[in-house]
């Protein structure tokens, strides 16, 4: 380490000396250029007219002195330029001979020398830039043909025999220097790439990655490449969701009647309550516990009566499994988890074994990442070209982490620059990767080269999103949780992956026919509050904006802007696609919606805040959080998942929402960053409270850590108030303790309302903790409604909210098991035994079955209230429908 630092210091000193000499040389150019102009004029005058040669001897002597001084000055300048060129071509003073790299000696590239190698390439690239600048200066100067001086020979300055000018000689020397440097840069980069290929296992070498990327071009898997996408603006649900709801209601009528115990002939489909299940975050604990609850619903017949499966974070993995290989059957999912979770999700050894033994499946798992990696070179190459045509107002301040001088960072940066050559050499041209929406015909494919050109053209005003750690995280989750694991007769685990499972839109098959509920995955975007959403500008407020993913659309709940799920990830501008890429991999979505590690510093501090003793909170944490509230709230240590913003420059958005600043900021950003919705609310109330969905009942499966101090209901009430949702059961709170500061809606309450809310919450908490109640039903206002949200006489009945917390049960087969304190139930534990999976899943199944009759009666009441309201409105309208 000390040797490396000393070498680096020596190189810095030598570079400073070289830069100083160059600065002195360039600093004389302005005056020297005037001298050259004088010299050129005198030379033209001397050769232009015979009469001037007959001047007096004194005049000739004077002129000769001036010519000699100018020529001497020019010669000195010429010598300094040649010296500069030579210093730039000799190369950086390095502790190691660069020839060892150029020769492709892999042993020369090691962690102790990586800093020098990266510095060598950086120095040569900088030298190339200086030579380019020098070329432009030489070309811009006025030139003549001065005589040689004592510091420059005739052959150095000019050759009367060949007629080569001084200018051309300098340009030739600069060109030769550039060619030499260019060759050395290419050789060094190639050597670095070859070296890393030798370090990596076969499954991570370029041919394997390239073969994975080819799968993104398969039209059979990605028929959406033949479709053109556009942005939909509006708050209503899309037409496909309307059709689904109708199909689902028709199919569930008999199941619903059976569940509530009435004759199917007496049930009008219009009266069946719209039920949404809300699964919480909580990592692998939430995933397993959610599947256990779904098993109870499946066995009771309730899951066949559900319209929406909404999820946050960890429960999204359960919903994703149910809507892929599970095909709606939680028993299949639990069988998979018993096998899959015995090995570590994030083990490099397991990953290599998976890729080696299941090459075809592994390439489909990592196909999207491989393609993003290869195509990211388009941005790098574009940045190296002339940027004079770039529309400056389109360029957003994108922060991209560079690799630095570590081996991994150096190799990543260098190979990335060669990505285009890699793509062009390993991807056959006949593979379709993209097609422009205009003006190419719908059937005209494009080659990889065409795609890269289209990408470069589009990227003149848009940046390619960086490959994110969230994508790798999502791919690993997909490998473990969505790839189906089955035990064969040989007692070996066999893996299965249907290509449809790699795509969110692939979950439409059963949903379209009404066979399953519609899944909704949620994420949030952090709106900082400034015009460009950067932390450089101070803003008075910041917030999280809700986004949702369904098999039909992906978009913003708060902005009312949507794109088809199969087009999510395409670069869009003015509501139209710029070029086409395949649908975002479902693994990337699974990683995004559960990326709690991308939380703000404030959110991370809050996790600590809620578990430390009250005295420490008051004495230490409160003052610190108050002092640095703004900075910690908007700073994220780990960047969230970033991709093309489908709503970029969609100006129609501004007229559809009263929050003009937020709308203008979103449509001005070329990239979109999303993260775990649990940072705002660990239950997906926002998607189910959308007025256009008209949900009548929400079944909350809460698997949060520190469950009894979480403010999810208070935040849901705030969201309902802000968005004009009048049917929320005001005052609903399952827990009395709330260490966070009061919500805005609570601040608006008068003292009586707030007192009723707290008293009701205390009573509910006692029932849960003391009376072993595992389902609390809120089917009406618990406290008086805020004045601004009072219900009118003819309004629909309130939403029924059923709350099922993940807690132990003294009646369970293991009464001492507490999922809130068990070590294997921690949020980020990713290795479970089959017995642990069964223990937690059995507990949530038991808790649900214990409360099944109460749940059944709540569903029946919701049905009866909805039916009564329909009959009332029909009577009011004279029976006309």
């Amino acid at each position: 380490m000390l040797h490396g630092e000393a070498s680096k210091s020596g190189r810095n000193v030598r570079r400073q000396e070289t830069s100083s000499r160059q600065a002195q040389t360039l600093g004389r150019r302005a005056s020297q250029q005037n001298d050259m102009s004088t010299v050129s004029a005198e030379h033209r005058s001397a050769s232009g007219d015979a009469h001037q040669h007959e001047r007096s001897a004194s005049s000739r002597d004077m002129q000769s002195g001036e010519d000699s001084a100018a020529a001497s000055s020019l010669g000195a300048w010429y010598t300094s330029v040649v010296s500069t060129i030579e210093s730039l071509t000799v190369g950086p003073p390095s502790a190691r001979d660069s020839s060892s790299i150029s020769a492709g000696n892999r042993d020369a590239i090691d962690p102790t020398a990586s800093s020098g190698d990266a510095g060598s390439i950086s120095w040569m690239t900088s030298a190339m830039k200086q030579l380019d600048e020098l070329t432009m200066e030489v070309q811009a100067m006025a030139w003549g043909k001065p005589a040689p001086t004592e510091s420059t020979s005739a052959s150095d300055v000019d050759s009367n025999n060949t007629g080569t000018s001084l200018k051309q000689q300098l340009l030739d020397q600069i060109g030769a220097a550039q060619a030499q440097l260019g060759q050395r840069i290419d050789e060094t980069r190639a050597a670095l790439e070859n070296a890393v290929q030798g370090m990596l296992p076969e499954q991570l070498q370029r041919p394997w990655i390239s073969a994975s990327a080819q799968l993104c071009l398969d039209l059979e898997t990605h028929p959406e490449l033949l479709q053109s996408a556009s942005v939909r603006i509006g708050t209503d649900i899309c037409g496909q969701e309307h059709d689904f709801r109708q199909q689902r209601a028709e199919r569930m009528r008999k199941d619903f009647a059976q569940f509530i115990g009435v004759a199917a002939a007496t049930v009008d489909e219009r009266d069946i309550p719209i039920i949404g299940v809300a699964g919480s975050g909580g990592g692998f604990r939430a995933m397993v516990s959610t599947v256990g609850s779904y098993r109870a619903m499946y066995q009771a017949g309730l899951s066949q009566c559900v319209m929406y499966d909404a999820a946050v974070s960890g429960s999204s993995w359960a919903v994703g499994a149910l809507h892929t290989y599970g095909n709606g059957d939680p028993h299949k999912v639990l069988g998979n988890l018993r096998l899959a979770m015995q090995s570590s999700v994030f083990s490099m050894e397991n990953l290599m074994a998976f890729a080696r033994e299941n090459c075809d499946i592994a390439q489909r798992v990592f196909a999207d990442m491989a393609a993003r990696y290869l195509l990211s070179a388009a941005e790098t190459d574009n940045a190296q070209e002339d940027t004079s045509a770039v529309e400056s107002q389109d360029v957003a301040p994108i922060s991209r982490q560079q690799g630095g001088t570590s081996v991994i960072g150096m190799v990543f940066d260098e190979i990335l620059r060669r990505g285009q050559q890699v793509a062009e050499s390993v991807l056959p041209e006949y593979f379709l990767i993209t097609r422009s929406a205009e003006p190419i015909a719908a059937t005209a494919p494009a080659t990889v080269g065409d795609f890269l050109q289209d990408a470069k053209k589009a990227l003149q005003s848009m940046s390619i999103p960086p490959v994110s750690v969230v994508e790798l995280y999502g791919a690993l989750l997909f490998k473990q949780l969505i790839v189906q694991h089955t035990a064969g007769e040989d007692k070996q685990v066999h893996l299965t992956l249907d290509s449809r499972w790699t795509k969110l839109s692939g979950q439409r098959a059963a949903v379209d026919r009404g066979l399953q509920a519609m899944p909704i995955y949620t994420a949030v975007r952090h709106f900082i509050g400034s015009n460009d959403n950067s932390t450089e500008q101070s803003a008075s407020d910041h917030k999280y904006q809700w986004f949702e993913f369904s098999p039909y659309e992906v978009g913003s709940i708060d902005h009312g802007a949507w794109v088809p799920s199969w087009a999510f990830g395409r670069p869009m501008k003015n509501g139209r696609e710029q070029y086409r890429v395949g649908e975002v991999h479902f693994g990337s979505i699974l990683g995004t919606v559960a990326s709690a590690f991308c939380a703000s510093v404030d959110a991370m501090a809050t996790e600590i805040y809620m578990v430390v003793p009250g005295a420490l909170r008051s004495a230490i944490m409160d003052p610190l959080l108050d002092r640095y509230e703004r900075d910690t709230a908007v700073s994220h240590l780990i960047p969230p998942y970033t991709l093309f913003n489908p709503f970029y420059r969609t100006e129609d958005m501004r007229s559809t929402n009263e929050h003009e600043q937020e709308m203008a900021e979103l449509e001005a950003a070329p990239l979109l960053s999303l993260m775990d919705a649990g940072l705002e609310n660990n239950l997906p109330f926002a998607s189910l409270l959308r007025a256009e969905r008209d949900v009548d009942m929400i079944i909350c499966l809460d698997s949060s850590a520190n469950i009894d101090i979480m403010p999810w209901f208070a935040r849901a009430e705030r969201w309902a108030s802000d968005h004009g949702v009048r049917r929320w059961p005001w005052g609903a709170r399952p827990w009395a303790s709330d260490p966070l500061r009061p919500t805005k809606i609570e601040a608006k309450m008068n003292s009586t309302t707030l007192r009723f809310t707290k008293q009701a919450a205390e009573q509910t908490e006692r029932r849960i903790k003391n009376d072993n109640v595992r389902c609390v039903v809120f089917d009406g206002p618990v406290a008086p409604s805020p004045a601004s949200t009072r219900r009118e006489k003819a309004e629909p009945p309130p939403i029924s909210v059923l709350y099922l917390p993940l807690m132990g049960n003294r009646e369970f087969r293991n009464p001492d098991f507490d999922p809130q304190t068990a070590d294997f139930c921690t949020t980020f534990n990713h290795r479970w035994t089959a017995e642990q999976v069964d223990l937690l899943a059995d507990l949530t199944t038991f808790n649900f079955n214990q409360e099944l009759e109460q749940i059944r009666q709540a569903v029946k009441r919701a049905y009866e209230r909805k039916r009564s309201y329909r009959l009332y409105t029909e009577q009011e309208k004279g029976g006309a429908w």
Side-chain angles (χ1 to χ4, degrees):
M1 178 65 71
L2 293 176
H3 172 72
E5 292 298 326
S7 298
K8 184 186 297 183
S9 176
R11 287 195 299 273
N12 290 338
V13 170
R14 287 190 287 272
R15 288 179 189 173
Q16 291 173 3
E17 292 174 351
T18 301
S19 300
S20 177
R21 290 196 302 269
Q22 295 169 3
Q24 293 173 8
T25 298
L26 297 177
R28 294 192 299 267
R29 290 183 183 172
S31 61
Q32 290 167 345
Q33 184 171 355
N34 293 332
D35 292 339
M36 285 190 294
S37 299
T38 303
V39 171
S40 299
E42 294 297 339
H43 274 274
R44 287 194 301 270
S45 176
S47 61
D49 191 345
H51 176 71
Q52 292 178 358
H53 289 284
E54 298 177 357
R55 288 182 177 181
S56 65
S58 59
S59 298
R60 286 197 303 271
D61 291 341
M62 183 180 299
Q63 182 64 46
S64 175
E66 293 175 355
D67 288 347
S68 177
S72 177
S73 176
L74 178 60
W77 178 83
Y78 175 85
T79 301
S80 67
V81 171
V82 172
S83 176
T84 299
I85 296 173
E86 290 176 351
S87 70
L88 292 176
T89 54
V90 167
S94 176
R96 300 190 298 113
D97 188 345
S98 61
S99 63
S100 62
I101 303 176
S102 300
N105 183 2
R106 294 181 181 180
D107 295 335
I109 300 180
D110 56 64
T112 61
S114 62
S115 180
D117 297 336
S120 176
I121 293 177
S122 176
W123 191 94
M124 288 188 287
T125 303
S126 176
M128 287 286 282
K129 183 177 180 181
Q130 293 182 53
L131 289 172
D132 288 338
E133 294 174 352
L134 189 58
T135 298
M136 290 187 291
E137 290 191 27
V138 170
Q139 290 177 334
M141 297 175 71
W143 291 86
K145 294 182 179 180
T149 68
E150 56 186 15
S151 61
T152 58
S153 67
S155 60
D156 288 334
V157 178
D158 196 358
S159 174
N160 293 326
N161 295 330
T162 61
T164 303
S165 67
L166 177 63
K167 174 181 179 180
Q168 189 58 48
Q169 282 198 20
L170 285 178
L171 292 177
D172 289 344
Q173 291 187 55
I174 293 173
Q178 289 175 318
Q180 181 181 350
L181 278 175
Q183 181 180 0
R184 291 174 59 189
I185 290 173
D186 289 341
E187 289 174 349
T188 305
R189 287 176 176 171
L192 288 172
E193 183 177 349
N194 291 334
V196 75
Q197 292 299 322
M199 298 176 190
L200 293 175
E202 179 183 356
Q203 290 73 28
L204 291 183
Q205 293 186 17
R206 191 171 65 199
W208 193 93
I209 294 175
S210 302
S212 300
Q214 289 182 4
L215 297 174
C216 292
L217 318 180
D218 181 16
L219 280 176
E220 185 175 349
T221 303
H222 295 282
E224 69 272 8
L225 288 171
L226 298 175
Q227 296 179 270
S228 178
S230 60
V231 174
R232 181 180 73 86
I233 301 298
T235 58
D236 196 11
I237 59 178
C238 65
Q240 294 96 326
E241 186 175 339
H242 277 292
D243 295 340
F244 150 73
R245 286 162 62 105
Q246 182 177 351
Q247 289 286 333
R248 182 68 171 164
E250 292 174 358
R251 284 190 175 272
M252 74 167 58
R253 187 169 66 87
K254 292 182 180 180
D255 292 325
F256 179 80
Q258 183 177 354
F259 180 75
I260 65 172
V262 299
T266 64
V267 175
D268 190 315
E269 295 169 6
R270 296 173 294 177
D271 301 331
I272 299 176
I274 304 297
I275 300 176
V277 176
S280 81
F284 296 91
R285 176 189 64 251
M287 175 188 62
V288 176
S289 64
T290 299
V291 177
S293 296
Y294 268 96
R295 179 173 60 180
M297 288 191 287
Y298 183 85
Q299 294 170 343
L302 178 57
S303 64
Q304 291 87 324
C305 306
V306 172
M307 188 69 73
Y308 296 107
D309 289 334
V312 167
S313 198
S315 65
S316 301
W317 306 338
V319 172
L322 284 168
H323 286 269
T324 50
Y325 68 86
N327 198 27
D329 186 351
H331 297 90
K332 290 183 180 179
V333 178
L334 285 173
N336 187 73
L337 295 180
R338 293 187 188 102
L339 294 173
M341 295 188 65
Q342 293 184 34
S343 59
S344 173
V345 176
F346 308 115
S347 166
M348 182 60 66
E349 181 180 354
N350 291 341
L351 174 60
M352 291 296 98
F354 166 73
R356 181 173 60 253
E357 299 168 6
N358 306 274
C359 182
D360 177 64
I361 293 178
Q363 287 179 338
R364 281 183 282 167
V365 169
F366 292 97
D368 197 50
M369 280 194 67
R372 280 278 297 270
Y373 169 75
L374 294 177
L375 294 175
S376 60
E379 179 186 35
T380 304
D381 290 341
N382 192 62
Q384 294 175 352
E385 297 176 355
D386 182 14
T387 59
S388 59
V390 176
E391 298 177 4
S392 59
Q393 65 271 26
D394 288 351
V395 180
I398 302 302
S399 174
R400 179 170 183 169
Q401 272 191 319
Q402 299 300 321
T405 57
S406 67
V407 170
I408 295 177
M410 173 189 65
V411 168
F412 179 82
D413 287 345
E414 293 309 313
I415 293 181
L416 197 62
R417 293 187 182 100
R418 297 179 62 86
Q420 180 176 355
Q421 291 102 356
V422 172
E424 291 175 338
S425 62
V426 301
L427 299 181
E429 288 191 352
Y430 56 79
F431 278 102
L432 177 70
I433 190 168
T434 183
R435 293 157 32 76
S436 299
E438 296 290 346
I440 300 177
T443 58
T447 65
V448 170
D450 293 335
F451 164 72
L452 292 175
Q453 291 301 318
D454 290 345
K456 288 182 181 181
K457 182 178 180 181
L459 292 175
Q460 288 182 353
S461 60
M462 300 171 69
S463 297
I464 284 184
V467 179
S468 168
V469 66
V470 176
E471 290 178 89
L472 176 59
Y473 171 62
L476 295 174
L477 290 172
F478 186 92
K479 169 187 76 73
Q480 204 84 350
L481 305 179
I482 303 300
V483 174
Q484 188 173 12
H485 296 60
T486 55
E489 295 180 358
D490 55 359
K491 296 185 179 180
Q492 296 295 317
V493 176
H494 300 277
L495 306 183
T496 305
L497 176 60
D498 189 318
S499 295
R500 291 175 297 180
W501 304 345
T502 64
K503 302 165 57 177
L504 175 59
S505 64
Q507 299 176 21
R508 285 186 55 170
V511 176
D512 280 345
R513 293 177 291 164
L515 297 175
Q516 295 181 32
M518 189 184 92
I520 303 175
Y521 310 91
T522 58
V524 292
R525 174 178 184 266
H526 199 173
F527 172 66
I528 303 301
S530 56
N531 292 333
D532 62 355
N533 211 42
S534 71
T535 57
E536 300 300 323
Q537 297 185 28
S538 178
S540 59
D541 196 12
H542 66 94
K543 62 181 290 187
Y544 289 102
Q545 301 165 336
W546 282 84
F547 282 71
E548 67 177 37
F549 308 76
S550 82
Y552 299 118
E553 286 188 317
V554 175
S556 169
I557 300 173
D558 294 317
H559 298 87
W562 314 91
V563 291
S565 299
W566 48 262
F568 185 60
R570 295 186 183 185
M572 307 284 285
K573 186 176 180 181
N574 297 322
R576 299 186 63 82
E577 61 192 19
Q578 299 301 292
Y579 60 88
R580 298 184 187 176
V581 293
E583 180 178 343
V584 167
H585 198 284
F586 186 50
S588 296
I589 294 177
L590 291 180
T592 301
V593 300
S595 56
F597 49 82
C598 295
S600 65
V601 176
D602 177 69
M604 293 180 179
T606 299
E607 292 293 324
I608 303 173
Y609 182 93
M610 291 186 294
V611 297
V612 300
L616 288 178
R617 290 204 300 263
S618 302
I620 299 176
M621 296 198 70
D622 278 340
L624 287 175
L625 291 177
D626 285 338
R627 181 176 181 180
Y628 300 106
E629 180 179 7
R630 167 68 191 177
D631 294 334
T632 59
V634 301
S635 299
H636 297 261
L637 297 179
I638 301 178
Y641 178 56
T642 301
L643 71 169
F644 289 115
N645 178 13
F647 315 118
Y648 179 48
R649 290 294 184 88
T650 306
E651 297 181 358
D652 292 343
M653 293 169 55
R654 301 185 186 183
S655 60
T656 64
N657 195 294
E658 60 181 359
H659 306 291
E660 292 186 3
Q661 182 188 14
E662 295 180 35
M663 303 300 293
E665 181 276 323
L666 177 62
E667 64 93 13
L671 299 181
L672 178 69
S673 296
L674 300 175
M675 64 196 84
D676 195 320
L679 301 177
E680 169 63 12
N681 195 322
N682 215 32
L683 287 166
F685 284 115
S687 291
L688 298 177
L689 288 178
R690 288 178 58 187
E692 53 273 18
R693 288 212 165 107
D694 201 24
V695 171
D696 301 298
M697 174 175 286
I698 301 175
I699 301 176
C700 301
L701 307 177
D702 191 0
S703 304
S704 303
N706 306 309
I707 196 168
D708 58 345
I709 58 174
M710 290 300 176
W712 311 139
F713 276 67
R715 293 185 181 180
E717 190 164 281
R718 178 187 62 192
W719 196 93
S721 177
D722 291 344
H723 291 78
V725 179
R726 305 172 69 88
R727 298 178 62 198
W728 174 261
W730 303 104
R733 300 283 195 285
W735 307 106
S737 177
D738 183 356
L740 304 181
R741 289 134 199 221
T743 63
K744 293 180 180 179
I745 187 64
E746 288 178 330
K748 294 179 180 178
M749 292 182 180
N750 57 41
S751 58
T752 302
T753 300
L754 191 58
R755 184 172 66 254
F756 275 130
T757 300
K758 296 296 183 183
Q759 290 175 351
E762 291 171 356
Q763 181 180 359
T764 300
E765 183 171 336
R766 284 195 297 270
R767 292 178 58 210
I768 295 174
K769 292 184 175 180
N770 301 335
D771 300 339
N772 205 43
V773 171
R774 292 298 173 263
C775 177
V776 179
V777 178
F778 301 99
D779 54 6
V782 176
S785 304
S788 60
T789 56
R790 292 190 183 278
R791 296 175 57 247
E792 300 297 333
K793 180 180 180 180
E795 287 187 353
I799 298 171
S800 297
V801 179
L802 281 60
Y803 179 72
L804 288 84
L806 175 59
M807 298 186 69
N809 193 315
R810 57 175 176 255
E811 303 298 329
F812 182 53
R813 60 179 171 86
N814 186 344
D816 296 327
F817 172 52
D818 185 356
Q820 292 292 319
T821 58
D823 290 340
F824 72 88
C825 288
T826 57
T827 299
F828 294 105
N829 175 42
H830 53 85
R831 188 169 184 174
W832 294 48
T833 66
E835 293 74 21
Q836 290 170 340
V837 170
D838 283 335
L839 182 61
L840 181 57
D842 289 350
L843 172 64
T844 53
T845 299
F846 183 89
N847 284 348
F848 199 100
N849 286 334
Q850 172 184 290
E851 306 294 342
L852 180 58
E853 288 309 311
Q854 182 185 189
I855 295 170
R856 193 190 312 275
Q857 292 305 313
V859 172
K860 188 173 183 178
R861 285 197 303 274
Y863 160 73
E864 292 171 344
R865 291 194 301 177
K866 188 171 184 178
R867 181 175 181 272
S868 297
Y869 177 72
R870 176 180 64 82
L871 295 175
Y872 170 78
T873 55
E874 285 181 349
Q875 182 179 5
E876 288 292 310
K877 296 178 181 179
W881 265 85

